[in-house]
Structures are given as structure tokens and as C-alpha cells.
Amino acid sequence: MCEVVVAGGVESVSMTMRNVNTFGLFNPEIQRRSPGTYLEMNIDDPRVPFWKRAFRSMGATAELVAERYQISREAQDAFACRSQQRTAAAQAAGRFDDELIDIETEVRSELDQSELDPDGEPPPPVERLANDRCARPETTPAGLAALEPAFRPGGTVTAGNSSPIADGAASCLLVSERYARDHQLEPLGYFRSHAMVGCEPELMARGPVLAIPKLLRQLGYALRDIELLEINEAFASQMVYALRALDLDEERVNVDGGAISLGHPFGMTGVRLVGHLLRELRRRQASRGIVAICIGGGMGSAALLET
């Protein structure tokens, strides 16, 4: 349908979530275009638009999935620990290196008044970042088991078995085969098909479980025809549910870890998954993989890629 498409996203959640944005950084353009972004998620505050109040928090949906599909705390922690271990091994082997771009940024820390300059402004320390820093390779089952529930007293979803929020940006270039040939571009792979589904907002984690079979039906494939899958690890409860519901081989899913260890910059995670899956398929000399994500508000998306 198009000769050239650039698809991508940027996430600056550290700017827009108050409990993360501890320095009170403020972007007036975001406030102008999205009134209520800088307010707490308070359903009684009339300044917050309806669409920001309509759905429960993602943590609450993860708890509901764990409860409804009997996903134990132990199963969630085991998956989270495996994600950390896989990411640690992949980072040590350099398997993320060619999909990262170094950046220079101010790295802020908690500063007391004595550290401020005479004008009251903190010094601008600049650091070059060359790798993702959410991963915690020192994670152990015992450490995860010691964490308190993050979203509901007595619940099973914790900071350790959830994806940490993070900033990030990514983009990909999708072109026709003719355009790639005419401009001497070497493709990473081929985009074959895509499926979207809707589901209950309170069970948004079901999205991939519904989207993947729909995608396979469109193409006449079975899961045995798929060599690798990248499913966004929004929460371990969602991932364990997907593995069980689709009877997936864990050795073919998120082989280098996922968002639980790497972080989940909401606006760019899908593109990151596409890029990593294509590179991993090439590394393994495999030919076919699926990227799938669950989407807050009650959606699921899946795409089939080939090398």
C-alpha cells in the first residue's frame, strides 16, 4: 500500500508520571495538548479527562489475570528471574549492541541544598549511556520473594515481577521490495501480516493470547511453524498466562529476556521487539517469528516477520 513507511515512537514517562518525575520537570506543550497528564490518576478530579479515568491501572489488571487464571506468586517470580537471567546473558554476549545508539544526557540524583550552585540550580552532570540499565542481573528467587505486593494488599504482583517504566525511543523503516532494491537497502526481514483484537479492558493482558491465533489463522500457519516469539513482558502474570493458554515452548519465547528486565518504554516497545526479533532470527539462521503485545484499555496486537 505504501512505498516507504517510518514507524516508531518515543517515551518520556519520566517527565509525565509524578512519582517518577521527582524533580518536577514540566513540558508546557504536553500540558497544552493533553490536559491532566501531570495530575494524579484521581477519578474524582474533574480536570482529568474521562479517557484517563475510564480504565483501571495496569497493575490491577495484572492482579485480576493472576487471580482469574490461578497464576501463583511463585510462578510469576520464577518467570521474572528467568527474564533477568536471559537478559544478563544477552547483554554479556553483546546481543543488544547493534540495536542501541549511545546518547549523552544529564544524570540527576537526589541533591541536598549544599550541592546547588549560587543560583539554586543543580550542576549539570553529563554521562554517556551505551546500554539499557533497568536489568538487575543480581536478581535471585529469594530476593523476588521478599518484595511486597505493589498494587493490592495480599496480591501477587510486585515491582520484581512487573516491567519497570523507562524512557526510550526507536523507529524502523518499512519499504517495498522494489524500493529496497532501487536504493540498495539490505532488509533485516519481511513484514508478512498483522492482527489486532479487542478484549475486556480489565483483562487487557489477554490481548496476545487472542491476537496470535487470529494471525496464524490469517496465514494458515500453526504455532509449530513459528521459530521465535517476542511477547511484551508487561507483567509476569500476563506472560505465564500466555505461555499456558497457548501451550508455548518457553525456549522459543523472549529468548533474551524482555520488558521485566529491560524496561517498558510504552511508546516504543513494539518497535524494539520488532528489531530484536529480526536480529535474533538472523543470528539463529531461523526464518519466521511473531511479535505480540497487550495494550492498555483492552487490545492485543500480533505481527508475523520473516527473514
Side-chain angles (χ1 to χ4, degrees):
M1 294 183 289
C2 299
E3 284 289 290
V4 183
V5 176
V6 178
V10 61
E11 182 58 63
S12 187
V13 69
S14 62
M15 179 78 77
T16 57
M17 290 188 71
R18 184 170 294 180
N19 61 326
V20 178
N21 185 7
T22 56
F23 288 93
L25 302 175
F26 180 79
N27 185 323
E29 187 65 13
I30 291 176
Q31 179 72 322
R32 184 183 73 81
R33 294 190 181 197
S34 179
T37 292
Y38 289 99
L39 302 174
E40 297 289 350
M41 294 288 284
N42 183 350
I43 62 173
D44 298 319
D45 191 328
R47 295 173 297 168
V48 179
F50 168 77
W51 64 269
K52 288 181 179 294
R53 296 182 273 129
F55 306 116
R56 65 188 74 196
S57 77
M58 297 301 94
T61 71
E63 283 284 10
L64 186 59
V65 166
E67 179 182 328
R68 179 167 298 189
Y69 299 106
Q70 300 181 326
I71 311 297
S72 69
R73 167 72 181 271
E74 291 74 21
Q76 294 175 60
D77 285 353
F79 182 90
C81 193
R82 183 165 62 251
S83 180
Q84 295 284 357
Q85 292 167 348
R86 288 181 174 183
T87 291
Q91 286 183 327
R95 290 200 291 273
F96 294 108
D97 291 356
D98 66 348
E99 58 192 79
L100 297 175
I101 297 174
D102 293 4
I103 61 170
E104 286 188 353
T105 184
E106 291 184 6
V107 179
R108 295 173 181 250
S109 60
E110 294 296 336
L111 300 171
D112 60 37
Q113 200 64 29
S114 64
E115 294 179 272
L116 300 177
D117 68 19
D119 296 326
E121 294 294 329
V126 174
E127 185 175 343
R128 177 168 286 275
L129 304 180
N131 63 295
D132 293 313
R133 298 191 174 186
C134 282
R136 294 187 172 135
E138 71 279 6
T139 299
T140 64
L144 289 171
L147 297 174
E148 294 293 323
F151 301 100
R152 189 174 73 186
T156 60
V157 181
T158 71
N161 57 40
S162 306
S163 57
I165 55 179
D167 290 349
S171 65
C172 63
L173 182 66
L174 178 65
V175 302
S176 70
E177 194 163 28
R178 182 179 64 186
Y179 186 95
R181 183 177 61 250
D182 291 347
H183 291 80
Q184 299 180 333
L185 301 176
E186 181 183 353
L188 280 172
Y190 291 83
F191 175 83
R192 291 301 187 197
S193 191
H194 175 245
M196 293 284 292
V197 298
C199 58
E200 309 93 325
E202 66 274 19
L203 291 173
M204 64 95 194
R206 294 186 67 222
V209 173
L210 302 175
I212 291 172
K214 180 180 179 181
L215 175 67
L216 293 172
R217 288 194 299 270
Q218 288 175 185
L219 295 165
Y221 288 150
L223 271 172
R224 63 177 176 272
D225 301 316
I226 308 303
E227 292 157 283
L228 289 176
L229 296 97
E230 286 284 335
I231 303 176
N232 185 43
E233 296 176 1
F235 297 92
S237 63
Q238 159 242 333
M239 286 299 304
V240 174
Y241 164 64
L243 289 169
R244 293 178 180 177
L246 296 175
D247 193 23
L248 296 174
D249 178 1
E250 294 182 23
E251 297 306 311
R252 292 189 293 154
V253 179
N254 298 5
V255 293
D256 291 328
I260 287 175
S261 47
L262 286 165
H264 180 15
F266 309 128
M268 58 76 81
T269 288
V271 179
R272 187 197 75 76
L273 294 176
V274 167
H276 190 70
L277 176 67
L278 288 170
R279 287 174 170 86
E280 192 61 35
L281 285 170
R282 289 162 70 94
R283 273 191 288 268
R284 293 169 177 246
Q285 297 184 318
S287 61
R288 190 176 295 133
I290 283 178
V291 169
I293 55 175
C294 57
I295 304 168
M299 296 175 71
S301 176
L304 188 129
L305 307 172
E306 294 181 347
T307 57

